Amino acid sequence: MGRRRTALIATLAAIVPLVLGACGSSGSGSGESGSSGDGDQQVTISYWQYTYATKVTEIKKLIKEFEAKNPNIKVQAEDYPHDQFQNKVFAAQKAGTGPDIVNIYNGWVAQFVKQKAIQPIPSDFMSTKDIKDYYVSTVQPQSGDGKFYSLPIAVRSLALFYNKDLFKAAGLDPNKPPQTWDELVADAKKMTVMTDDGRYKQEGFGWNVSGQGYHTFEEVLLRQYGVTPFSDDGRTVQWDSKPGGFDAYQFWMNMTMKDKIGTPDFNTDYSTAFLAGKAGMIIDGSFRLGDMKDAKFDWGVTELPVREAGGMKSNYASYWTNAIATGVSGAKLKAAEKFLKFLISEDVQKDWLKNIGEIPAGKSLSNDKDILDNAQYAPFAKALSYAHTTFFVNEDASRNAFIDATNESLLNNVPLADSWKKLVASQQKVRDDFFGK
Amino acid sequence: MVALEAARAPAGSSPPGRSRGMTLRGRRTRVAYAFLIVPILFYLAIRVYPTLQAFWLSFTVEGSPGLTLANYSRMLQDPIFWQSVYNTFLYTIITVPIEMALGLLLALGIDRMGRFRGFYRIIFFLPYMTSIVAVSWVWRLIYARDTGLLNEILVGLGLPAQGWLNDPDQALLSVAIVMIWQTMGFSMLIFSAGLNAIPKEFYEAARIDGAGGWKMFSRITLPLLNPTIVFLAIIGVIQTLQTFTQIANLTGGDAMGGPLHSTASIVVYMYQQGFESYDMNFASASTVFLFVLILIVTLIQFRVLNRGYKL
């Protein structure tokens, strides 16, 4: 009995401090890094990004380089899965254990500003004018108040990927991808294979809403049909300001409804279908280049189609961008600025392109010969001069509203004119909700 | 619990009441508390406190001081919220009775088997042990309209292909089928245990009295399974009221709970408000709604289902 009780107490004595210690250590850890800024020369800053293998490796490598040049600054890199990333940041900030620099999607900036999670780029570090001069025009504040809160390394744009083998099999010239939307539909029809009861065996074009589809509609088709999608302040949805808006919608929706060249859920999704060799063409970002290394077919990539030959080009740009968290000040802020300055330098931009496949965001590199001569990068790089970055207030909500409105026509046989009205109204509502109308 | 039992057994064999003037009972209690204190603290910190916090949050709005009912009035005016509530009820009404009926049927069938009993039990229990996420994704491929196995079979049999998860009219049922398929093995296992606990003498006596198979089932098996039925019904209802994972994985990626909110449950609605729109205050209101709903439903179940449990 006595021995047993001693054992029991010993076990408890071992467990309790362990548990309490585990609780305590996270608290003391943040306290440590918080106090390291004052007086002491050594400063530690944290950098958070979402888990994307190549980016995680790249950042670790860059940090080593940076720390070698700045021995008194330590950068701690952490990464979390994409779908939990925003939650993780907001939750950690509320607990006082958030990052000093956070890498976020441009479409999240407004939401982060609203949550007071990030601070404007200090003007004594880089003024709004400095930033505008430094970057290609697709890099915009994205914050709703005209201030820049973040600095990107690279920008992504869209291009048309096409499967040369499927082109050949359908009797098309594999070196002549479509130049206009009408050509795209015609080519896609030839590559689409269906069963007798109307199920797809192969799709000519990876038509979708939730992937790059709705970006393509918003920033490419609408503009080519003469519509500026949003007002300058981002508050007003102007899709139905001109009749071209509905024409664009009809054309786009008919690709799947009437022309039947592709459907959203075929083979899981458009990019999976394309990688599996079951879709003739898809519109996707430069980040897809990495996956294409494993493709078991001959493929090419080209600029997005226009309405008619020689017509207006347009494209959608997006980027992951680095912001300084709210509350970072003093020596930590200076260290964060130094690290940002390093990240957006020309050398890092070039390195980033080589290892990640995203196009440099700096103006100085937009005419770089190495990039424009590369058949894979060129369509994306060229697009940056005419691409538009959507100002998102709540990207998830916009996308969901988009999916719902189009599904009314796709699944419930609601006339296009009605789902169009619903679509425009729901997009406006997302913005009204954000701006508190 | 296990530790408590272990501590108790040897304590009984030693002379009682000798150490430091404490009674045996007192010492036992103290040991119990010592073991329970860690989980209790943990439970308070990560369960009870956030729950209370959610109640508080649901009555406030970010950026404006004071308590308000704004979140609730906004929620009650949102048609998508009501659709989610309606869907959640449908899930419960469809899945719980069917998975219990199938579970009982399986348990009765397997009970009659001589050999391979364990084998069949494992086969039917396997889906329940498999990760819901993995199961959902496999079913998603099976359901796929263009390339899915199910449509291939239907077409092979000369039947028309169906939309399944793509069709707003069929999507909820498709999700429910996965839920039933996965949980009926659990019901089977619990029913098997319940059946084993019924003394065989009852059946022998009934048989001597000339009772037929149906009579024995309805007069002996069913009444004696009542505690099992109550347990499964309550657990099943609570689980389906909280359904999220199957829906998220079967319909996620595009718009979770789609197409057109036809599969959204209350938890999916809460998730979208909290973690897609980041309106924690509003999301808390739907959590509180779900809490109250589960509380009421469970209390009613206790009342109604326990009524018959008297021999």
Side-chain angles (χ1 to χ4, degrees), chain B residues 47-70:
Chain B
R47 279 284 172 134
V48 178
Y49 170 71
T51 309
L52 295 175
Q53 182 79 9
F55 272 93
W56 169 258
L57 271 180
S58 75
F59 290 105
T60 57
V61 172
E62 188 91 27
S64 72
L67 298 176
T68 168
L69 285 172

Side-chain angles (χ1 to χ4, degrees), chain B residues 11 20 26 37 51 54 62-65 91 105 108 123 157 161 164 175 178 194 206 217 226-227 234 253 277 293 298:
Chain B
R20 281 167 244 136
I37 190 85
T51 309
E62 188 91 27
S64 72
Y91 280 125
L105 226 67
L108 287 169
I123 290 290
L157 293 172
W164 302 116
V175 175
V178 178
F217 176 74
N226 193 295
I234 289 174
S277 301
L293 183 75
T298 312

Side-chain angles (χ1 to χ4, degrees), chain A residues 1 4-5 8 11-12 15-16 19-20 23 83-87 90 94 111 115 195 197-201 209-211 263-269 278 394 396-397 399-400 403-409 411-412 422 433, chain B residues 6-7 10-11 14 19-20 27 31 34-35 37-38 41-42 62 74 80 137 140-141 144-148 151-152 155 159-161 166-169 253-256 258-261 271-272 274-280:
Chain A
M1 156 80 201
R4 275 177 190 278
R5 205 179 50 193
L8 185 79
T11 320
L12 270 184
I15 290 170
V16 172
V19 174
L20 295 179
C23 300
D83 45 349
Q84 308 159 14
F85 188 70
Q86 295 185 65
N87 299 337
F90 293 147
K94 280 191 177 143
Q111 197 66 247
Q115 299 273 350
T195 59
D197 61 338
R199 286 178 302 135
Y200 285 87
K201 290 273 139 202
V209 180
S210 62
T263 183
D265 317 282
F266 174 68
N267 215 72
T268 309
D269 61 41
K278 287 188 178 290
N394 183 343
D396 279 327
R399 188 198 295 122
N400 287 345
I403 294 169
D404 282 352
T406 49
N407 268 348
E408 291 284 356
S409 284
L411 304 173
N412 277 357
K422 196 181 163 191
D433 284 349
Chain B
S14 68
S19 59
R20 281 167 244 136
R27 262 187 292 129
V31 169
F35 270 106
I37 190 85
V38 174
L41 280 178
F42 191 65
E62 188 91 27
R74 194 179 125 201
I80 297 172
W137 276 89
R140 196 175 172 150
L141 294 176
R145 183 192 49 206
D146 294 295
T147 48
N151 272 349
E152 291 293 331
V155 172
L159 298 166
N166 278 105
D167 185 336
D169 295 329
D254 282 8
M256 191 191 293
L260 295 169
H261 307 284
Y271 176 84
Q272 285 172 331
F275 300 109
E276 284 177 8
S277 301
Y278 295 102
D279 195 339
M280 292 297 167

Side-chain angles (χ1 to χ4, degrees), chain A residues 186-368:
Chain A
D187 289 355
K189 272 185 184 165
K190 287 186 185 148
M191 288 187 285
T192 304
V193 183
M194 277 203 190
T195 59
D196 296 336
D197 61 338
R199 286 178 302 135
Y200 285 87
K201 290 273 139 202
Q202 179 176 304
E203 58 181 1
F205 176 64
W207 192 91
N208 68 84
V209 180
S210 62
Q212 301 300 332
Y214 84 103
H215 298 310
T216 308
F217 172 75
E218 266 181 25
E219 295 294 359
V220 183
L221 276 166
L222 274 181
R223 285 181 190 272
Q224 289 175 347
Y225 275 80
V227 174
T228 308
F230 304 103
S231 62
D232 285 343
D233 59 6
R235 285 170 181 253
T236 314
V237 175
Q238 307 181 138
W239 301 2
D240 55 354
S241 59
K242 286 179 193 162
F246 180 62
D247 294 343
Y249 181 67
Q250 240 178 333
F251 178 80
W252 185 61
M253 290 292 281
N254 276 338
M255 284 185 177
T256 184
M257 292 171 67
K258 251 170 86 189
D259 304 324
K260 296 203 181 297
I261 55 174
T263 183
D265 317 282
F266 174 68
N267 215 72
T268 309
D269 61 41
Y270 70 106
S271 54
T272 317
F274 186 71
L275 288 169
K278 287 188 178 290
M281 297 174 273
I282 57 164
I283 289 175
D284 217 340
S286 40
F287 43 85
R288 193 64 64 201
L289 289 172
D291 300 324
M292 294 310 297
K293 283 174 194 145
D294 304 325
K296 292 186 179 64
F297 51 84
D298 196 11
W299 58 278
V301 57
T302 186
E303 282 178 89
L304 293 188
V306 291
R307 267 186 86 183
E308 59 262 321
M312 176 196 179
K313 290 178 175 183
S314 189
N315 205 302
Y316 163 77
S318 62
Y319 46 88
W320 285 83
T321 181
N322 305 293
I324 304 173
T326 308
V328 176
S329 59
K332 274 192 151 203
L333 182 61
K334 291 286 163 248
E337 288 174 359
K338 248 188 192 164
F339 185 58
L340 279 187
K341 201 178 170 86
F342 166 75
L343 280 185
I344 64 173
S345 67
E346 266 187 29
D347 289 342
V348 171
Q349 289 185 47
K350 280 185 189 163
D351 201 57
W352 195 266
L353 171 71
K354 201 173 74 202
N355 297 325
I356 313 291
E358 292 179 336
I359 311 298
K363 230 178 230 172
S364 59
L365 289 173
S366 53
N367 288 318
D368 194 87

